[in-house]
Amino acid sequence: MIKSFKHKGLSDLWSASRTSRIDTRLHRRILLRLDVLDAATLAEDMNHPGYDFHALRGFDPTRYTVHVNGPWCITFEFEDGNALRVDFEQYH
């Protein structure tokens, strides 16, 4: 279950299914990934074809990423079956 967001626009998109803070062309792809993340019980549940799921190096606690489009990714931490500090960022 998603417990917290770092990105205000991502939080708005999740709660209201729309936001002006994120390009509307990405909304559908983001919402699909957030639905999967909300249902996940382990970080590895995000390992779907096309998501390019992997752990990021140098973070404690571990942060994970899934690809959205181009350099845009959803990053998050996972603890006790919950996604925390979910963010939307350019990650090269």
Coordinates of all heavy atoms in Angstrom, one line a residue:
M1 N 0.8 -1.2 0.0 CA 0.0 0.0 0.0 C 0.9 1.2 0.0 O 1.9 1.3 0.7 CB -0.9 0.0 1.2 CG -1.7 1.3 1.3 SD -2.7 1.4 2.8 CE -3.9 0.1 2.5
I2 N 0.5 2.3 -0.7 CA 1.2 3.5 -0.7 C 0.9 4.3 0.5 O -0.3 4.6 0.8 CB 0.9 4.4 -2.0 CG1 1.3 3.6 -3.2 CG2 1.6 5.7 -1.9 CD1 0.9 4.3 -4.5
K3 N 1.9 4.6 1.3 CA 1.7 5.3 2.6 C 2.0 6.8 2.5 O 1.4 7.6 3.3 CB 2.5 4.6 3.7 CG 2.0 3.3 4.2 CD 0.7 3.4 4.9 CE 0.3 2.1 5.5 NZ -0.9 2.2 6.3
S4 N 3.0 7.2 1.7 CA 3.4 8.6 1.7 C 4.0 8.9 0.3 O 4.6 8.1 -0.4 CB 4.3 8.9 2.8 OG 5.5 8.2 2.7
F5 N 3.9 10.2 0.0 CA 4.4 10.8 -1.2 C 5.4 11.9 -0.9 O 5.2 12.6 0.1 CB 3.3 11.4 -2.1 CG 2.5 10.3 -2.8 CD1 1.3 9.9 -2.2 CD2 2.8 9.8 -4.0 CE1 0.5 9.0 -2.8 CE2 2.0 8.9 -4.6 CZ 0.8 8.5 -4.0
K6 N 6.5 12.0 -1.7 CA 7.4 13.1 -1.6 C 7.0 14.2 -2.7 O 7.2 15.4 -2.4 CB 8.8 12.7 -2.0 CG 9.5 12.0 -0.8 CD 10.9 11.6 -1.2 CE 11.9 12.8 -1.2 NZ 13.3 12.5 -1.4
H7 N 6.4 13.8 -3.8 CA 6.0 14.7 -4.9 C 4.6 15.1 -4.8 O 3.7 14.2 -4.8 CB 6.3 14.0 -6.2 CG 6.3 14.8 -7.4 ND1 5.1 15.2 -8.0 CD2 7.3 15.4 -8.1 CE1 5.3 15.9 -9.0 NE2 6.7 16.1 -9.2
K8 N 4.3 16.4 -4.6 CA 2.9 16.9 -4.4 C 2.1 16.5 -5.6 O 0.9 16.1 -5.5 CB 3.0 18.4 -4.2 CG 1.6 19.0 -4.1 CD 0.9 18.7 -2.8 CE -0.3 19.6 -2.7 NZ -1.5 18.9 -2.3
G9 N 2.6 16.7 -6.8 CA 1.8 16.4 -8.0 C 1.5 15.0 -8.1 O 0.4 14.6 -8.6
L10 N 2.4 14.1 -7.7 CA 2.1 12.6 -7.7 C 1.0 12.3 -6.7 O 0.1 11.5 -7.0 CB 3.4 11.9 -7.4 CG 3.5 10.4 -7.9 CD1 3.3 10.3 -9.3 CD2 4.8 9.9 -7.4
S11 N 1.1 12.9 -5.6 CA 0.0 12.7 -4.6 C -1.3 13.2 -5.1 O -2.4 12.5 -4.9 CB 0.4 13.5 -3.3 OG -0.6 13.4 -2.3
D12 N -1.4 14.4 -5.7 CA -2.6 14.9 -6.3 C -3.1 14.0 -7.4 O -4.3 13.7 -7.5 CB -2.4 16.3 -6.9 CG -2.1 17.4 -5.9 OD1 -2.3 17.1 -4.7 OD2 -1.6 18.4 -6.3
L13 N -2.3 13.5 -8.3 CA -2.7 12.6 -9.3 C -3.3 11.3 -8.7 O -4.3 10.8 -9.2 CB -1.5 12.2 -10.2 CG -1.8 11.3 -11.4 CD1 -2.8 12.0 -12.4 CD2 -0.5 11.0 -12.2
W14 N -2.7 10.8 -7.7 CA -3.1 9.5 -7.1 C -4.5 9.8 -6.4 O -5.4 8.9 -6.5 CB -2.1 9.0 -6.0 CG -2.5 7.8 -5.3 CD1 -2.7 7.7 -4.0 CD2 -2.8 6.5 -5.8 NE1 -3.1 6.4 -3.6 CE2 -3.1 5.7 -4.8 CE3 -2.7 6.0 -7.1 CZ2 -3.4 4.3 -5.0 CZ3 -3.0 4.6 -7.3 CH2 -3.3 3.8 -6.2
S15 N -4.7 10.9 -5.7 CA -5.9 11.1 -5.0 C -7.1 11.6 -5.8 O -8.2 11.3 -5.6 CB -5.7 12.0 -3.8 OG -5.3 13.3 -4.2
A16 N -6.7 12.4 -6.9 CA -7.8 13.0 -7.7 C -7.8 12.6 -9.1 O -8.6 13.1 -9.9 CB -7.7 14.5 -7.6
S17 N -6.8 11.7 -9.5 CA -6.7 11.3 -10.9 C -6.4 12.4 -11.9 O -6.6 12.2 -13.1 CB -7.9 10.5 -11.4 OG -8.1 9.3 -10.6
R18 N -5.9 13.5 -11.4 CA -5.4 14.6 -12.3 C -4.6 15.6 -11.5 O -4.7 15.7 -10.3 CB -6.6 15.3 -12.9 CG -7.5 16.0 -11.9 CD -8.7 16.6 -12.7 NE -9.5 17.4 -11.8 CZ -9.6 18.7 -11.8 NH1 -9.0 19.4 -12.7 NH2 -10.3 19.3 -10.9
T19 N -3.7 16.3 -12.2 CA -2.8 17.3 -11.6 C -2.3 18.1 -12.8 O -2.1 17.6 -13.9 CB -1.7 16.7 -10.8 OG1 -0.9 17.8 -10.2 CG2 -0.8 15.8 -11.6
S20 N -2.0 19.4 -12.5 CA -1.4 20.2 -13.5 C 0.1 20.2 -13.3 O 0.8 20.8 -14.1 CB -1.9 21.7 -13.4 OG -1.6 22.2 -12.1
R21 N 0.6 19.6 -12.3 CA 2.1 19.6 -12.0 C 2.8 18.5 -12.8 O 4.1 18.5 -12.8 CB 2.3 19.3 -10.5 CG 1.7 20.4 -9.6 CD 1.8 19.9 -8.2 NE 1.0 20.8 -7.3 CZ 1.6 21.6 -6.4 NH1 2.9 21.6 -6.2 NH2 0.8 22.3 -5.6
I22 N 2.1 17.6 -13.5 CA 2.8 16.6 -14.3 C 2.1 16.6 -15.7 O 0.9 16.7 -15.8 CB 2.6 15.2 -13.6 CG1 3.3 15.2 -12.3 CG2 3.2 14.1 -14.5 CD1 3.0 13.9 -11.5
D23 N 2.9 16.5 -16.7 CA 2.5 16.4 -18.1 C 1.3 15.4 -18.2 O 1.5 14.2 -17.8 CB 3.6 16.0 -19.0 CG 3.3 16.1 -20.5 OD1 2.1 16.0 -20.9 OD2 4.3 16.3 -21.2
T24 N 0.2 15.9 -18.8 CA -1.0 15.0 -18.9 C -0.7 13.8 -19.7 O -1.4 12.7 -19.6 CB -2.2 15.8 -19.5 OG1 -1.8 16.3 -20.7 CG2 -2.6 16.9 -18.5
R25 N 0.3 13.8 -20.6 CA 0.6 12.7 -21.5 C 1.1 11.5 -20.7 O 1.1 10.4 -21.1 CB 1.6 13.1 -22.6 CG 0.9 14.0 -23.6 CD 2.0 14.5 -24.6 NE 2.9 15.3 -23.8 CZ 3.9 16.0 -24.4 NH1 4.1 15.9 -25.7 NH2 4.8 16.8 -23.7
L26 N 1.6 11.8 -19.4 CA 2.2 10.7 -18.6 C 1.2 10.2 -17.5 O 1.5 9.2 -16.9 CB 3.4 11.3 -17.9 CG 4.6 11.8 -18.8 CD1 5.7 12.3 -17.9 CD2 5.1 10.7 -19.7
H27 N 0.1 10.8 -17.4 CA -0.9 10.5 -16.3 C -1.2 9.0 -16.3 O -1.2 8.3 -15.3 CB -2.1 11.3 -16.3 CG -1.9 12.7 -15.9 ND1 -2.9 13.6 -15.6 CD2 -0.8 13.4 -15.6 CE1 -2.4 14.8 -15.2 NE2 -1.1 14.7 -15.2
R28 N -1.6 8.5 -17.5 CA -2.1 7.1 -17.6 C -1.0 6.1 -17.2 O -1.2 5.2 -16.4 CB -2.6 6.8 -19.0 CG -3.2 5.4 -19.1 CD -3.8 5.2 -20.5 NE -4.3 3.9 -20.7 CZ -3.5 2.9 -21.1 NH1 -2.3 3.0 -21.4 NH2 -4.1 1.7 -21.2
R29 N 0.2 6.3 -17.7 CA 1.3 5.4 -17.4 C 1.7 5.5 -15.9 O 2.0 4.5 -15.3 CB 2.6 5.8 -18.2 CG 2.4 5.5 -19.7 CD 3.6 5.9 -20.5 NE 4.8 5.2 -20.1 CZ 5.3 4.1 -20.8 NH1 4.6 3.7 -21.9 NH2 6.4 3.5 -20.4
I30 N 1.6 6.7 -15.3 CA 1.9 6.8 -13.9 C 0.9 6.1 -13.1 O 1.2 5.4 -12.2 CB 2.0 8.3 -13.5 CG1 3.3 8.9 -14.2 CG2 2.1 8.5 -12.0 CD1 3.3 10.5 -14.1
L31 N -0.4 6.3 -13.4 CA -1.5 5.7 -12.6 C -1.4 4.2 -12.7 O -1.7 3.5 -11.7 CB -2.8 6.3 -13.1 CG -3.1 7.7 -12.6 CD1 -4.4 8.2 -13.3 CD2 -3.3 7.8 -11.1
L32 N -1.1 3.6 -13.8 CA -0.9 2.2 -13.9 C 0.1 1.7 -13.0 O -0.1 0.7 -12.3 CB -0.6 1.8 -15.4 CG -1.7 1.9 -16.4 CD1 -1.1 1.7 -17.8 CD2 -2.8 0.9 -16.1
R33 N 1.3 2.4 -12.9 CA 2.3 2.0 -12.0 C 2.0 2.2 -10.6 O 2.3 1.4 -9.7 CB 3.6 2.7 -12.4 CG 4.3 2.1 -13.7 CD 5.1 3.1 -14.4 NE 5.7 2.5 -15.6 CZ 5.1 2.2 -16.7 NH1 3.8 2.5 -16.9 NH2 5.7 1.7 -17.8
L34 N 1.3 3.3 -10.3 CA 0.9 3.5 -8.9 C -0.1 2.4 -8.4 O -0.1 2.0 -7.3 CB 0.3 4.9 -8.7 CG 1.3 6.1 -8.9 CD1 0.6 7.4 -8.7 CD2 2.4 5.9 -7.8
D35 N -1.0 2.0 -9.3 CA -2.0 0.9 -9.0 C -1.2 -0.3 -8.6 O -1.5 -1.0 -7.6 CB -2.9 0.6 -10.1 CG -4.0 1.6 -10.3 OD1 -4.3 2.4 -9.3 OD2 -4.6 1.7 -11.4
V36 N -0.2 -0.7 -9.4 CA 0.6 -1.9 -9.1 C 1.4 -1.7 -7.8 O 1.4 -2.6 -6.9 CB 1.6 -2.2 -10.3 CG1 2.5 -3.3 -9.9 CG2 0.8 -2.5 -11.5
L37 N 1.9 -0.5 -7.6 CA 2.7 -0.2 -6.3 C 1.8 -0.3 -5.1 O 2.1 -0.8 -4.1 CB 3.3 1.2 -6.4 CG 4.2 1.6 -5.3 CD1 5.4 0.6 -5.1 CD2 4.8 3.0 -5.5
D38 N 0.6 0.2 -5.2 CA -0.4 0.2 -4.1 C -0.8 -1.3 -3.7 O -1.0 -1.6 -2.6 CB -1.6 1.0 -4.5 CG -2.5 1.2 -3.3 OD1 -2.0 1.7 -2.3 OD2 -3.7 0.9 -3.4
A39 N -0.8 -2.2 -4.7 CA -1.1 -3.6 -4.5 C 0.1 -4.4 -4.0 O -0.1 -5.5 -3.5 CB -1.8 -4.2 -5.7
A40 N 1.3 -3.9 -4.2 CA 2.5 -4.6 -3.9 C 2.7 -4.9 -2.4 O 2.4 -4.0 -1.6 CB 3.7 -3.9 -4.4
T41 N 3.2 -6.1 -2.1 CA 3.5 -6.4 -0.7 C 5.0 -6.5 -0.5 O 5.5 -6.5 0.6 CB 2.9 -7.7 -0.3 OG1 3.3 -8.8 -1.2 CG2 1.3 -7.6 -0.3
L42 N 5.8 -6.6 -1.7 CA 7.2 -6.6 -1.7 C 7.7 -5.6 -2.8 O 7.0 -5.5 -3.8 CB 7.8 -8.0 -2.0 CG 7.4 -9.1 -1.1 CD1 7.9 -10.4 -1.7 CD2 8.2 -8.9 0.3
A43 N 8.8 -5.0 -2.6 CA 9.3 -4.1 -3.7 C 9.4 -4.9 -5.0 O 9.1 -4.3 -6.1 CB 10.7 -3.6 -3.3
E44 N 9.8 -6.1 -4.9 CA 10.0 -6.9 -6.1 C 8.7 -7.2 -6.9 O 8.8 -7.6 -8.1 CB 10.7 -8.3 -5.8 CG 12.1 -8.2 -5.3 CD 12.3 -7.6 -3.9 OE1 11.3 -7.6 -3.1 OE2 13.4 -7.2 -3.6
D45 N 7.6 -6.9 -6.3 CA 6.3 -7.0 -7.0 C 6.2 -6.0 -8.2 O 5.4 -6.1 -9.0 CB 5.1 -6.8 -6.1 CG 5.0 -8.0 -5.1 OD1 5.5 -9.1 -5.3 OD2 4.3 -7.7 -4.1
M46 N 7.1 -5.0 -8.2 CA 7.1 -4.0 -9.2 C 8.0 -4.4 -10.4 O 8.1 -3.7 -11.4 CB 7.7 -2.7 -8.7 CG 6.8 -2.0 -7.6 SD 5.2 -1.7 -8.2 CE 5.5 -0.4 -9.4
N47 N 8.5 -5.6 -10.4 CA 9.3 -6.1 -11.5 C 8.5 -6.7 -12.6 O 8.3 -7.9 -12.8 CB 10.3 -7.2 -11.0 CG 11.4 -7.5 -11.9 OD1 11.6 -6.8 -12.9 ND2 12.1 -8.6 -11.6
H48 N 7.9 -5.7 -13.4 CA 7.1 -6.1 -14.6 C 7.8 -5.7 -15.9 O 8.6 -4.7 -15.9 CB 5.8 -5.3 -14.5 CG 4.8 -5.7 -13.5 ND1 3.8 -6.6 -13.7 CD2 4.8 -5.5 -12.1 CE1 3.1 -6.8 -12.6 NE2 3.7 -6.2 -11.6
P49 N 7.5 -6.4 -17.0 CA 8.1 -6.0 -18.2 C 7.9 -4.5 -18.6 O 6.7 -4.0 -18.4 CB 7.5 -6.9 -19.2 CG 7.0 -8.1 -18.4 CD 6.6 -7.5 -17.1
G50 N 8.9 -3.8 -19.0 CA 8.8 -2.4 -19.3 C 8.9 -1.4 -18.2 O 9.0 -0.2 -18.4
Y51 N 8.9 -1.9 -17.0 CA 9.1 -1.0 -15.8 C 10.5 -0.7 -15.5 O 10.8 0.2 -14.8 CB 8.4 -1.6 -14.6 CG 6.9 -1.5 -14.5 CD1 6.1 -1.3 -15.7 CD2 6.2 -1.6 -13.3 CE1 4.7 -1.2 -15.6 CE2 4.8 -1.5 -13.2 CZ 4.1 -1.3 -14.4 OH 2.8 -1.2 -14.3
D52 N 11.4 -1.6 -15.9 CA 12.9 -1.4 -15.6 C 13.1 -1.2 -14.1 O 13.8 -0.4 -13.7 CB 13.5 -0.3 -16.4 CG 15.0 -0.2 -16.3 OD1 15.6 -1.3 -16.1 OD2 15.6 0.9 -16.4
F53 N 12.5 -2.1 -13.3 CA 12.6 -2.0 -11.9 C 14.0 -2.4 -11.4 O 14.6 -3.3 -11.9 CB 11.6 -3.0 -11.3 CG 11.8 -3.3 -9.8 CD1 11.4 -2.4 -8.8 CD2 12.5 -4.4 -9.4 CE1 11.6 -2.7 -7.5 CE2 12.8 -4.7 -8.0 CZ 12.3 -3.8 -7.1
H54 N 14.5 -1.6 -10.5 CA 15.8 -1.9 -9.9 C 16.0 -1.0 -8.7 O 15.4 0.0 -8.5 CB 17.0 -1.7 -10.9 CG 17.1 -0.4 -11.4 ND1 16.4 0.1 -12.5 CD2 18.0 0.7 -11.1 CE1 16.8 1.3 -12.8 NE2 17.7 1.7 -12.0
A55 N 16.9 -1.5 -7.8 CA 17.3 -0.7 -6.6 C 18.3 0.4 -7.0 O 19.2 0.1 -7.9 CB 17.9 -1.6 -5.6
L56 N 18.2 1.5 -6.4 CA 19.2 2.6 -6.7 C 20.4 2.4 -5.7 O 20.2 2.1 -4.5 CB 18.5 4.0 -6.5 CG 17.4 4.2 -7.4 CD1 16.7 5.5 -7.1 CD2 17.8 4.3 -8.9
R57 N 21.5 2.7 -6.2 CA 22.7 2.6 -5.3 C 22.9 3.8 -4.4 O 22.6 5.0 -4.8 CB 24.0 2.4 -6.2 CG 24.0 1.1 -6.9 CD 25.3 1.0 -7.7 NE 25.1 -0.1 -8.7 CZ 25.8 -0.2 -9.8 NH1 26.7 0.7 -10.0 NH2 25.6 -1.2 -10.6
G58 N 23.5 3.6 -3.3 CA 23.9 4.8 -2.4 C 22.8 5.3 -1.5 O 23.0 6.4 -1.0
F59 N 21.7 4.6 -1.4 CA 20.6 5.1 -0.5 C 20.4 4.2 0.7 O 20.4 3.0 0.5 CB 19.3 5.2 -1.3 CG 19.3 6.3 -2.3 CD1 19.6 6.1 -3.6 CD2 18.9 7.6 -1.9 CE1 19.6 7.1 -4.5 CE2 18.8 8.6 -2.9 CZ 19.2 8.4 -4.2
D60 N 20.2 4.8 1.8 CA 19.9 4.0 3.0 C 18.8 4.8 3.8 O 19.1 5.9 4.2 CB 21.1 3.8 3.9 CG 20.9 2.9 5.1 OD1 20.0 2.1 5.0 OD2 21.5 3.1 6.1
P61 N 17.6 4.3 3.8 CA 17.2 2.9 3.3 C 17.2 2.9 1.8 O 17.2 3.9 1.1 CB 15.7 2.8 3.9 CG 15.3 4.2 4.1 CD 16.5 5.0 4.4
T62 N 17.1 1.7 1.3 CA 17.1 1.4 -0.2 C 16.0 2.1 -0.9 O 14.8 2.0 -0.4 CB 17.1 -0.1 -0.5 OG1 18.2 -0.7 0.2 CG2 17.2 -0.4 -1.9
R63 N 16.3 2.8 -2.0 CA 15.2 3.3 -2.8 C 15.2 2.5 -4.1 O 16.2 2.0 -4.6 CB 15.5 4.8 -3.2 CG 15.2 5.7 -2.0 CD 15.2 7.2 -2.3 NE 14.1 7.6 -3.2 CZ 12.8 7.7 -2.8 NH1 12.5 7.5 -1.5 NH2 11.9 8.1 -3.6
Y64 N 14.0 2.4 -4.6 CA 13.8 1.6 -5.9 C 13.2 2.5 -6.9 O 12.7 3.6 -6.6 CB 12.8 0.5 -5.6 CG 13.3 -0.5 -4.6 CD1 12.9 -0.3 -3.2 CD2 14.1 -1.6 -4.9 CE1 13.3 -1.2 -2.3 CE2 14.5 -2.5 -3.9 CZ 14.1 -2.3 -2.6 OH 14.6 -3.1 -1.6
T65 N 13.3 2.1 -8.2 CA 12.8 2.9 -9.3 C 12.1 2.1 -10.3 O 12.5 0.9 -10.5 CB 14.0 3.7 -10.0 OG1 13.4 4.6 -11.0 CG2 15.0 2.8 -10.6
V66 N 11.1 2.7 -10.9 CA 10.5 2.1 -12.1 C 10.4 3.2 -13.1 O 10.1 4.3 -12.8 CB 9.1 1.5 -11.8 CG1 9.1 0.2 -10.9 CG2 8.1 2.5 -11.2
H67 N 10.6 2.8 -14.4 CA 10.6 3.7 -15.5 C 9.2 4.1 -15.9 O 8.3 3.3 -15.9 CB 11.3 3.0 -16.7 CG 11.3 3.7 -17.9 ND1 12.1 4.8 -18.2 CD2 10.5 3.6 -19.0 CE1 11.9 5.2 -19.4 NE2 10.9 4.6 -19.9
V68 N 9.0 5.4 -16.2 CA 7.7 5.9 -16.7 C 7.9 6.2 -18.2 O 7.2 5.6 -19.0 CB 7.2 7.1 -15.9 CG1 5.9 7.7 -16.6 CG2 6.9 6.7 -14.5
N69 N 8.7 7.2 -18.5 CA 8.9 7.6 -19.9 C 10.2 8.5 -20.0 O 10.3 9.4 -19.2 CB 7.7 8.4 -20.4 CG 7.7 8.6 -21.9 OD1 8.3 7.9 -22.6 ND2 7.1 9.7 -22.3
G70 N 11.0 8.2 -21.0 CA 12.3 9.0 -21.1 C 13.0 8.9 -19.8 O 13.2 7.8 -19.2
P71 N 13.5 10.0 -19.3 CA 14.2 10.0 -18.0 C 13.3 10.0 -16.8 O 13.8 10.0 -15.6 CB 15.0 11.4 -18.1 CG 14.1 12.3 -18.8 CD 13.5 11.4 -19.9
W72 N 12.0 10.1 -16.9 CA 11.1 10.1 -15.8 C 10.8 8.8 -15.2 O 10.5 7.8 -15.8 CB 9.8 10.8 -16.3 CG 9.9 12.2 -16.6 CD1 10.0 12.7 -17.9 CD2 10.0 13.3 -15.7 NE1 10.1 14.1 -17.8 CE2 10.2 14.5 -16.5 CE3 10.0 13.4 -14.3 CZ2 10.3 15.7 -15.9 CZ3 10.2 14.6 -13.7 CH2 10.3 15.8 -14.5
C73 N 11.0 8.8 -13.8 CA 10.8 7.5 -13.1 C 10.0 7.8 -11.8 O 9.9 8.9 -11.3 CB 12.2 7.0 -12.6 SG 13.2 6.5 -14.0
I74 N 9.4 6.8 -11.3 CA 8.8 6.8 -10.0 C 9.8 6.1 -9.1 O 10.2 5.0 -9.3 CB 7.5 6.0 -9.9 CG1 6.4 6.8 -10.8 CG2 7.0 5.9 -8.5 CD1 5.1 6.1 -11.0
T75 N 10.2 6.8 -8.0 CA 11.1 6.2 -7.0 C 10.4 6.1 -5.7 O 9.5 6.8 -5.4 CB 12.4 7.1 -6.9 OG1 12.1 8.4 -6.4 CG2 13.2 7.2 -8.2
F76 N 10.9 5.1 -4.9 CA 10.1 4.8 -3.6 C 11.0 4.0 -2.7 O 12.0 3.4 -3.1 CB 8.8 4.1 -3.9 CG 9.0 2.8 -4.7 CD1 9.0 1.6 -4.0 CD2 9.0 2.8 -6.0 CE1 9.2 0.4 -4.7 CE2 9.1 1.6 -6.7 CZ 9.2 0.4 -6.0
E77 N 10.6 4.0 -1.5 CA 11.2 3.1 -0.5 C 10.1 2.1 -0.1 O 8.9 2.3 -0.3 CB 11.6 3.9 0.8 CG 12.8 4.8 0.5 CD 13.0 5.8 1.6 OE1 12.5 5.6 2.7 OE2 13.6 6.9 1.3
F78 N 10.5 0.9 0.4 CA 9.5 -0.1 0.8 C 9.8 -0.6 2.2 O 11.0 -1.0 2.5 CB 9.6 -1.3 -0.2 CG 8.2 -1.8 -0.5 CD1 7.4 -1.3 -1.5 CD2 7.8 -2.9 0.2 CE1 6.2 -1.8 -1.8 CE2 6.5 -3.4 -0.1 CZ 5.7 -2.9 -1.0
E79 N 8.8 -0.6 3.0 CA 9.0 -1.0 4.4 C 7.8 -1.7 4.9 O 6.7 -1.1 4.8 CB 9.4 0.2 5.3 CG 9.7 -0.1 6.7 CD 10.0 1.2 7.4 OE1 11.0 1.8 7.1 OE2 9.3 1.6 8.3
D80 N 7.9 -2.8 5.5 CA 6.7 -3.5 6.1 C 5.6 -3.7 5.2 O 4.4 -3.5 5.6 CB 6.3 -2.9 7.4 CG 7.4 -2.9 8.5 OD1 8.2 -3.8 8.5 OD2 7.5 -1.9 9.3
G81 N 5.8 -3.9 3.9 CA 4.8 -4.1 2.9 C 4.1 -2.9 2.4 O 3.1 -2.9 1.8
N82 N 4.7 -1.7 2.7 CA 4.2 -0.4 2.3 C 5.2 0.4 1.5 O 6.4 0.4 1.8 CB 3.7 0.4 3.5 CG 2.6 -0.3 4.2 OD1 1.6 -0.6 3.7 ND2 2.9 -0.6 5.5
A83 N 4.7 1.1 0.5 CA 5.6 2.0 -0.3 C 5.6 3.4 0.4 O 4.5 3.9 0.8 CB 5.1 2.2 -1.7
L84 N 6.8 3.9 0.6 CA 7.0 5.2 1.3 C 7.7 6.2 0.5 O 8.5 5.8 -0.3 CB 7.7 5.0 2.7 CG 7.2 3.9 3.6 CD1 8.2 3.6 4.7 CD2 5.9 4.4 4.2
R85 N 7.5 7.5 0.8 CA 8.2 8.6 0.1 C 8.3 8.4 -1.4 O 9.3 8.5 -2.0 CB 9.6 8.7 0.7 CG 9.5 9.2 2.2 CD 10.8 9.2 2.9 NE 11.2 7.9 3.4 CZ 10.7 7.2 4.4 NH1 9.7 7.7 5.1 NH2 11.2 6.0 4.7
V86 N 7.1 8.1 -2.0 CA 7.0 7.9 -3.4 C 7.2 9.2 -4.2 O 6.6 10.2 -3.8 CB 5.6 7.3 -3.8 CG1 5.5 7.0 -5.3 CG2 5.4 6.0 -3.0
D87 N 8.1 9.2 -5.1 CA 8.5 10.4 -5.8 C 8.5 10.3 -7.3 O 8.5 9.1 -7.8 CB 10.0 10.8 -5.4 CG 10.3 12.3 -5.5 OD1 9.4 13.1 -6.0 OD2 11.4 12.6 -5.2
F88 N 8.4 11.4 -8.0 CA 8.4 11.4 -9.5 C 9.5 12.3 -9.9 O 9.5 13.5 -9.5 CB 7.1 11.9 -10.0 CG 7.0 11.9 -11.5 CD1 7.0 10.8 -12.2 CD2 6.8 13.1 -12.2 CE1 7.0 10.8 -13.6 CE2 6.8 13.2 -13.6 CZ 6.8 12.0 -14.3
E89 N 10.5 11.7 -10.5 CA 11.7 12.5 -10.8 C 12.4 12.1 -12.0 O 12.2 11.0 -12.5 CB 12.7 12.5 -9.6 CG 13.1 11.1 -9.2 CD 13.9 11.0 -7.9 OE1 14.8 11.8 -7.8 OE2 13.6 10.2 -7.1
Q90 N 13.3 13.0 -12.6 CA 14.2 12.6 -13.7 C 15.4 11.9 -13.0 O 16.0 12.5 -12.2 CB 14.6 13.8 -14.4 CG 13.5 14.4 -15.3 CD 14.1 15.5 -16.2 OE1 15.3 15.6 -16.4 NE2 13.2 16.4 -16.6
Y91 N 15.6 10.7 -13.5 CA 16.7 9.9 -12.9 C 17.5 9.3 -14.1 O 17.0 8.5 -14.8 CB 16.2 8.8 -11.9 CG 17.3 8.4 -11.0 CD1 17.5 9.1 -9.8 CD2 18.1 7.3 -11.3 CE1 18.5 8.7 -8.9 CE2 19.1 7.0 -10.4 CZ 19.3 7.6 -9.3 OH 20.3 7.3 -8.4
H92 N 18.7 9.8 -14.3 CA 19.5 9.3 -15.4 C 20.3 8.1 -15.1 O 20.9 8.1 -14.1 CB 20.3 10.4 -16.0 CG 19.6 11.6 -16.3 ND1 20.0 12.9 -16.1 CD2 18.3 11.8 -16.9 CE1 19.1 13.8 -16.5 NE2 18.1 13.1 -17.0

